Amino acid sequence: MRARVVRVALVATAVALLLLAVPLAVAVRITFFADENGELERAATATVVRVGPDFAAGDPVELPGGRDEMQRGIYDATGRLRSGVGPASGGDAVRQALSGRVARKQTGGELVVVVPVSSGERVIGAVRASTSARTVWSRVWWGWAALLGLCLLALGAAVIVARRQASVLSSPLEALARTSLAIADGDLHARADPSTIAEIDEVARAHNAMVERLARLLERQRHFTANASHQLRTPLTGLQLGLEAALADPDADARAALAEAAEKTRHLDHTIDEVLRLATSDASTWVSAPAQEVGELLEAAERRWHGVLARDGRRLTVFWEPESEKLPVPGHTTDQILDVLLDNAHRHGGGSVTVTLRDLGTALAVDVADEGTAALESRVIFERGMGAGSGIGLALARELAGAVGARLALAGTAPTRFTLLLPLDAGR
């Protein structure tokens, strides 16, 4: 690109200099010849004043001094040279002057100016001044050489300026290209830096915005895989254990086992929907799942987790006020958050687990507490990759809560207690 910018600048400069230099060159030639004609006419006129009225009677005339290369001659009324230097017969220029007009000619390699000499109302002679045209052309060539030198100097300055501007224009684009290559190699944190050129900055901003969107999309895809694996592992394990237990017990109620398996399968389906929705939506496009009564969600969570905790000798207790159980909340989303919190209490907590529903007027508070101690501070416990486990569950729960306008916080560390705040209009 640099060579292209320099080439365009040089072509534009050359055209501009050509359009300027050709008329100037013509003007230099015309001016130098006009100046020389004027000098010859002044010299001839200075000689005319020395010619007295008795010139026609043969009175001699003394010629004034002048430039060495200039020749002057005085002619009588018949056109014969009487004094000075010049052709014996003045020719057309002298004849024209004898008729009463100043004559200017270029003939025989000379510039000639002839001025008539008058006495009273009568032309009595003519003064001829001449110089070699070669002398004038020498000055013209020197003028053209100076003009050419100025053009070359301007062209050299244009090359320097063009190279500088080419560097200024191409450097941001080269940096943008390097950033694009870095992104293509997998560095999604690379960003184009601003420059001093508004148009290139606009391209850089669009490029950065595109990379931001791609990075968010890829991050969502990675999170989807991790979230799906995390959320499906425990329900699938429970479904498998339930079916194996029914198969191992010849006296088991097959219908009850199938009904329980069907409920767990529906829950798995809802889990996949919520994780997929989180991966493909953002805050501006998120559409909440249908609202459900909070009492139904707590009862379903108790059914899913009572047996899991009981197998480890731990107790699960759920409390809520009867007047609050009919309030609507985002159904499947709240269900998933409760699963994460109960799974966290099961894996990393200790003792009994308590779920408490509180009506705060404008919001519902769901507390999930156990008798263990939180190992991390509240500012890092919801970050992905933190903690003794996979570091996915609590991060996912907070993302799900934020998607429906709810808040999830660590309310206590000894014992551990998480609080989910659900606005009452979040599920309507």
Side-chain angles (χ1 to χ4, degrees), residues 219-242:
E219 184 180 15
R220 285 178 184 173
Q221 297 301 321
R222 288 195 297 266
H223 287 179
F224 170 74
T225 303
N227 293 342
S229 174
H230 181 276
Q231 291 298 92
L232 295 178
R233 185 182 298 114
T234 299
L236 282 173
T237 301
L239 177 60
Q240 181 180 9
L241 291 175

Side-chain angles (χ1 to χ4, degrees), residues 258-268 300 303-304:
L258 290 175
E260 182 182 358
E263 182 180 358
K264 290 180 179 179
T265 303
R266 286 191 296 271
H267 182 68
L268 284 172
R303 289 194 301 270
R304 289 194 303 273

Side-chain angles (χ1 to χ4, degrees), residues 126-142:
V127 176
R128 180 182 184 273
S130 65
T131 189
S132 173
R134 203 163 29 186
T135 303
V136 183
W137 274 112
S138 176
R139 293 201 296 271
V140 170
W141 281 111
W142 278 110

Side-chain angles (χ1 to χ4, degrees), residues 158-169:
V159 170
I160 296 174
V161 173
R163 289 175 66 87
R164 172 63 180 169
Q165 289 301 110
S167 176
V168 171
L169 289 173

Side-chain angles (χ1 to χ4, degrees), residues 350-373:
S352 299
V353 179
T354 304
V355 179
T356 306
L357 174 66
R358 295 178 288 131
D359 187 355
L360 304 180
T362 59
L364 289 176
V366 180
D367 299 318
V368 179
D370 61 71
E371 297 175 355
T373 301

Side-chain angles (χ1 to χ4, degrees), residues 79-399:
R80 288 185 304 106
L81 179 65
R82 289 274 302 272
S83 179
V85 180
S89 175
D92 293 340
V94 172
R95 284 193 294 271
Q96 182 178 340
L98 291 175
S99 65
R101 301 189 307 273
V102 176
R104 299 178 184 84
K105 299 287 185 180
Q106 183 174 351
T107 179
E110 287 186 323
L111 289 180
V112 178
V113 176
V114 185
V115 178
V117 179
S118 302
S119 178
E121 299 294 331
R122 186 167 60 93
V123 177
I124 62 173
V127 176
R128 180 182 184 273
S130 65
T131 189
S132 173
R134 203 163 29 186
T135 303
V136 183
W137 274 112
S138 176
R139 293 201 296 271
V140 170
W141 281 111
W142 278 110
W144 284 356
L147 183 61
L148 178 61
L150 289 176
C151 290
L152 293 177
L153 183 63
L155 196 61
V159 170
I160 296 174
V161 173
R163 289 175 66 87
R164 172 63 180 169
Q165 289 301 110
S167 176
V168 171
L169 289 173
S170 61
S171 294
L173 293 177
E174 291 169 356
L176 183 59
R178 288 193 296 270
T179 303
S180 299
L181 290 175
I183 293 170
D185 290 337
D187 183 7
L188 296 181
H189 297 289
R191 296 293 182 271
D193 295 325
S195 66
T196 58
I197 303 171
E199 292 79 3
I200 297 179
D201 283 347
E202 185 175 353
V203 174
R205 284 192 295 270
H207 178 274
N208 290 341
M210 176 192 68
V211 175
E212 290 284 352
R213 288 193 292 268
L214 288 175
R216 285 197 298 268
L217 179 61
L218 292 175
E219 184 180 15
R220 285 178 184 173
Q221 297 301 321
R222 288 195 297 266
H223 287 179
F224 170 74
T225 303
N227 293 342
S229 174
H230 181 276
Q231 291 298 92
L232 295 178
R233 185 182 298 114
T234 299
L236 282 173
T237 301
L239 177 60
Q240 181 180 9
L241 291 175
L243 292 175
E244 289 177 351
L247 289 173
D249 186 0
D251 298 328
D253 186 351
R255 188 175 185 84
L258 290 175
E260 182 182 358
E263 182 180 358
K264 290 180 179 179
T265 303
R266 286 191 296 271
H267 182 68
L268 284 172
D269 185 55
H270 296 159
T271 299
I272 293 172
D273 288 341
E274 287 303 298
V275 174
L276 183 60
R277 189 180 357 231
L278 185 64
T280 57
S281 305
D282 53 31
S284 61
T285 60
W286 178 273
V287 179
S288 295
Q292 287 183 256
E293 294 179 0
V294 67
E296 294 180 359
L297 295 175
L298 294 177
E299 289 177 351
E302 185 178 17
R303 289 194 301 270
R304 289 194 303 273
W305 289 96
H306 177 77
V308 175
L309 291 167
R311 281 195 292 270
D312 293 339
R314 299 173 63 185
R315 183 177 180 182
L316 173 62
T317 307
V318 181
F319 297 103
W320 70 79
E321 299 173 355
E323 59 271 17
S324 302
E325 64 179 351
K326 299 294 184 181
L327 294 175
V329 294
H332 302 328
T333 305
T334 305
D335 220 16
Q336 293 302 311
I337 297 173
L338 287 173
D339 276 352
V340 171
L341 296 178
L342 290 170
D343 181 64
N344 185 74
H346 174 233
R347 292 175 180 272
H348 308 296
S352 299
V353 179
T354 304
V355 179
T356 306
L357 174 66
R358 295 178 288 131
D359 187 355
L360 304 180
T362 59
L364 289 176
V366 180
D367 299 318
V368 179
D370 61 71
E371 297 175 355
T373 301
L376 297 173
E377 298 178 4
S378 58
R379 62 184 179 85
V380 297
I381 198 169
F382 293 102
E383 294 182 6
R384 284 182 177 265
M386 301 299 294
S390 62
I392 295 173
L394 291 176
L396 172 61
R398 173 164 277 191
E399 291 175 10

